[in-house]
Amino acid sequence: MIKSLVRTFGALSLALPLLSAPAAHAAAPAVPVPEVMMLADAVGLVQVTEEDRTGYTRTKFKHWNSGDDSSDGCNTRAEVLLAEAVVAPTVGAGCKLTGGTWVSYYDGQEVTSAGSLDIDHMVPLAEAWDSGASTWTAARREAYANDQGADVSLVAVTARTNRQKSDQDPADWMPPSPVAQCRYVGEWVGTKLRWDLTADDRELEALKVYAEGPCEDTIVRYTPAA
């Protein structure tokens, strides 16, 4: 009788860790999985809705914040400039950048002054608001506005092209350099999918024209934002 109880207790002791292990595993946060697909397939994943800019102001997207490395004294803008420089600038006190060289891929221009560059949100803040960000928390909008988790979310370009683009989507504006356009469409779609943003009818039709025509070989890579 005693031996039987000992065996039963021993079996239960072994079983309890096995029962608790799946529960602990289930509690671990899921790691976003990188996605890679052809442009046409990526466009097919973008949901279509009507856009609504009610309530939008740029100040609802806090930027620039202290960046990915809060100890380096540089804000998001400066960190993007440092990451995209083809010739590294000198970093002075207060993260002042001097020298350096960049290539603005929208127009193919070489730039040797950081002050001549804008950091463009691939999907502009107003467009993001129209496409779903109006329902986000302030913290998520800040994360979007300072997103360095994907190389394509923020891009250093000439101030002229950034201001020409303004808040327009690909139905109304494309980079002036023809060789940049397929890259641009792929990065636009990747950013929309990364942040689960929608598109309106005109925008989606424009994307399909590129995806089924001159940009059919473009590959889209994105990782869903946490």
Side-chain angles (χ1 to χ4, degrees), residues 14-79:
L14 290 170
L16 285 172
L18 294 174
L19 289 171
S20 61
H25 179 71
V31 177
V33 178
E35 302 285 351
V36 181
M37 64 192 70
M38 301 306 294
L39 178 58
D41 294 327
V43 171
L45 294 179
V46 179
Q47 299 297 307
V48 181
T49 61
E50 292 185 8
E51 293 186 349
D52 183 0
R53 196 159 295 187
T54 302
Y56 169 74
T57 62
R58 192 172 175 83
T59 56
K60 290 185 177 178
F61 293 80
K62 181 182 177 182
H63 68 293
W64 306 110
N65 64 18
S66 59
D68 280 357
D69 182 357
S70 59
S71 68
D72 66 2
C74 297
N75 63 14
T76 299
R77 171 186 160 82
E79 288 182 356

Side-chain angles (χ1 to χ4, degrees), residues 198-213:
T198 61
D200 63 18
D201 289 328
R202 287 186 68 249
E203 176 188 347
L204 190 68
E205 288 307 310
L207 295 173
K208 286 180 178 178
V209 168
Y210 285 96
E212 296 168 4

Side-chain angles (χ1 to χ4, degrees), residues 4 85 87 140 142 221:
S4 177
V87 175
R140 188 164 179 81
E142 179 179 353
R221 297 176 175 86

Side-chain angles (χ1 to χ4, degrees), residues 174-195:
M174 288 291 287
S177 173
V179 299
Q181 293 180 356
C182 289
R183 172 182 170 182
Y184 181 79
V185 172
E187 294 182 356
W188 178 280
V189 174
T191 303
K192 286 246 163 166
L193 292 175
R194 171 171 168 76
W195 289 92

Side-chain angles (χ1 to χ4, degrees), residues 207-224:
L207 295 173
K208 286 180 178 178
V209 168
Y210 285 96
E212 296 168 4
C215 304
E216 62 180 351
D217 294 329
T218 299
I219 296 173
V220 175
R221 297 176 175 86
Y222 73 95
T223 300

